[in-house]
Amino acid sequence: MNCISKKQWHRYERDGFLKLGKLLSDEDLSALQEEIDAIMIGSANLNYDKLTMQLDSLTGKTKDTGAHTHGSKGSTLNYRKIQQLEYDPVFLEYLQRPIFREACNYIYGADQPIAIFRAMFMNKPAGRGTWLPWHQDRWPVLDRDPQLTIWTALDPSTKENGCLQIVPGSHRKGLINQESGAGFLTEEQMEEHCQPNDIVSLEMKAGEVTLLHNHLLHASDINKSSQSRRAFSVCYMDAATKDERDGITYPIAFGEGALTSDSVLMAMAN
Ligand SMILES: O=C(O)CCC(=O)C(=O)O
């Protein structure tokens, strides 16, 4: 039985996003919150060299964020971004939920092998955070564009603490910054495509999940509140996607060779 109806998919195709509501029980939400805090503090049972971790900026400006490289940058909750979270058994189990397989089946075709382009924690620490400019999720190193990101609020996500801002329907414009091939817009393109009347603040309760088309224009502000804005976002792609850089392959979420908690524990030990 499918969890996502045809009517919902119709809305997704029209708007470029679809709120699925609260998929995490309070217990499961606490488990993810505790795990990410343990990772930041340095007490998680992990090989930190498998993760890439970036500290938040002190100024709210992207240019002032720390290096986004492998390994811990110290025991603090002031991280901006942590990637390769598929190598954490708690996050792996979550991102392999059947409803996410169902979404991938719809987008990429039934039972198509699916890779994880990015399993990412994105944080706006209380009273801090960094402005993320308007962009589409697109990477010129890939031979085709991934289509689907699934974004889970680990805290209430509000205008005050830097929730996602989106331009509904903008995915239908295709790639806007053709010249650079990257997803970030120029000043002129922002002026043209992101007028205040076009923008919707995607507020969500903790534990709520939203599907995002990767070409949907989105941005997020700094956090002006005392509530952190933690989120987990996973970009799922067709496993046949090739990265033009030498030696870069992506782990499998669904299909033959998919990561398991055992394979992750082994990878962590090496
Ligand atoms: O969480 C955010 O503020 C933005 C995340 C984002 O750009 C993404 O998931 O692609």
Side-chain angles (χ1 to χ4, degrees):
M1 234 266 296
N2 285 344
C3 297
I4 308 172
S5 67
K6 281 194 179 140
K7 208 167 154 188
Q8 285 175 299
W9 280 122
H10 181 73
R11 286 213 311 270
Y12 174 83
E13 276 162 20
R14 183 192 63 195
D15 300 335
F17 73 100
L18 178 70
K19 280 188 168 188
L20 292 180
K22 190 167 188 293
L23 297 188
L24 280 165
S25 65
D26 290 347
E27 197 180 301
D28 290 346
L29 174 62
S30 297
L32 291 176
Q33 290 170 332
E34 282 164 23
E35 189 68 10
I36 200 64
D37 282 359
I39 290 173
M40 288 193 276
I41 291 301
S43 61
N45 187 18
L46 285 176
N47 178 350
Y48 278 79
D49 290 338
K50 293 276 179 197
L51 306 179
T52 56
M53 303 178 71
Q54 178 188 47
L55 289 172
D56 190 30
S57 72
L58 283 169
T59 61
K61 294 187 181 137
T62 320
K63 70 174 179 54
D64 298 328
T65 50
H68 181 207
T69 52
H70 287 270
S72 171
K73 308 289 179 296
S75 175
T76 169
L77 294 178
N78 291 328
Y79 279 92
R80 171 175 184 256
K81 190 152 86 169
I82 300 177
Q83 287 185 204
Q84 269 89 35
L85 282 171
E86 65 274 20
Y87 291 110
D88 177 286
V90 181
F91 281 94
L92 177 67
E93 189 184 347
Y94 175 64
L95 72 82
Q96 289 179 324
R97 283 192 173 193
I99 189 169
F100 302 149
R101 178 31 140 173
E102 181 187 326
C104 290
N105 282 347
Y106 181 87
I107 301 290
Y108 294 109
D111 297 328
Q112 193 65 25
I114 301 297
I116 302 160
F117 175 68
R118 187 169 76 170
M120 170 173 84
F121 170 63
M122 192 77 182
N123 189 28
K124 311 269 183 186
R128 296 181 49 148
T130 300
W131 162 246
L132 180 64
W134 286 99
H135 67 285
Q136 299 171 301
D137 280 343
R138 208 266 168 173
W139 300 274
V141 289
L142 301 179
D143 71 353
R144 67 202 81 179
D145 288 356
Q147 301 293 309
L148 178 68
T149 288
I150 301 184
W151 200 96
T152 302
L154 299 179
D155 283 315
S157 185
T158 63
K159 285 181 202 165
E160 290 69 37
N161 72 359
C163 69
L164 275 183
Q165 299 173 34
I166 56 171
V167 177
S170 52
H171 65 301
R172 287 187 264 112
K173 298 181 181 191
L175 179 65
I176 292 172
N177 195 347
Q178 296 274 353
E179 202 156 300
S180 83
F184 284 87
L185 302 197
T186 62
E187 291 290 332
E188 296 73 35
Q189 289 166 338
M190 279 189 244
E191 193 63 33
E192 182 182 346
H193 297 280
C194 312
Q195 284 297 314
N197 282 347
D198 304 327
I199 299 169
V200 166
S201 292
L202 199 59
E203 295 196 305
M204 288 162 68
K205 297 193 178 74
E208 282 192 342
V209 175
T210 294
L211 307 184
L212 300 165
H213 190 294
N214 276 16
H215 285 165
L216 184 77
L217 280 171
H218 58 290
S220 57
D221 207 347
I222 60 168
N223 184 347
K224 302 181 191 95
S225 79
S226 56
Q227 164 68 64
S228 59
R229 198 232 70 178
R230 294 170 292 179
F232 179 52
S233 110
V234 182
C235 176
Y236 297 89
M237 69 181 180
D238 183 332
T241 307
K242 298 270 179 293
D243 189 311
E244 280 157 15
R245 294 166 296 179
D246 276 348
I248 300 206
T249 55
Y250 294 90
I252 303 297
F254 302 115
E256 206 183 323
L259 288 178
T260 61
S261 53
D262 284 350
S263 59
V264 158
L265 290 173
M266 265 170 59
M268 280 299 175
N270 293 320

